[in-house]
Amino acid sequence: LEAVRLEAERIMVVEEWVDAALAAGRESTVIGELTAYVLEYPLRERFAAQLMLALARTGRRAEALDVYRSTRDVLVDQLGIEPGPHIRRIHTEVLAA
């Protein structure tokens, strides 16, 4: 139980670190790590949203849209739900860019 709690806390810290890196304009430095986290935790929308932002900001719009599509597919297939409002907003922003 303690290991599960610590893992959840570690993930939250990584997400906050990525938010700080994105706010500092260091998108290219987090793409590789975020890609690995999205693969490891496919149900964590925040990692997918962060990766979409990083990709879009570095001119990789098509890849950002692919991340949304694959995340949506996993959520619908495994949980029967649509992506949440935060990742949908980022998707809309990427489409509009």
Side-chain angles (χ1 to χ4, degrees):
L1 188 60
E2 182 66 11
V4 172
R5 185 190 69 74
L6 289 173
E7 177 64 8
E9 193 171 311
R10 183 187 73 80
I11 290 169
M12 288 176 26
V13 168
V14 170
E15 289 171 336
E16 291 172 13
W17 169 78
V18 171
D19 281 341
L22 292 173
R26 296 181 21 234
E27 291 84 2
S28 60
T29 65
V30 296
I31 289 174
E33 196 165 348
L34 272 173
T35 300
Y37 279 116
V38 167
L39 291 173
E40 187 175 352
Y41 302 99
L43 299 176
R44 294 214 47 114
E45 290 183 51
R46 188 169 174 187
F47 281 141
Q50 290 170 323
L51 179 56
M52 288 172 61
L53 278 175
L55 289 167
R57 289 178 182 173
T58 56
R60 297 162 67 178
R61 185 174 167 253
E63 290 174 71
L65 294 172
D66 285 343
V67 170
Y68 180 82
R69 277 190 291 278
S70 62
T71 300
R72 183 190 176 277
D73 289 347
V74 167
L75 291 171
V76 169
D77 291 346
Q78 292 190 20
L79 302 178
I81 62 171
E82 290 291 329
H86 178 68
I87 194 170
R88 285 194 324 260
R89 180 183 54 79
I90 293 169
H91 179 245
T92 301
E93 290 173 8
V94 172
L95 285 171

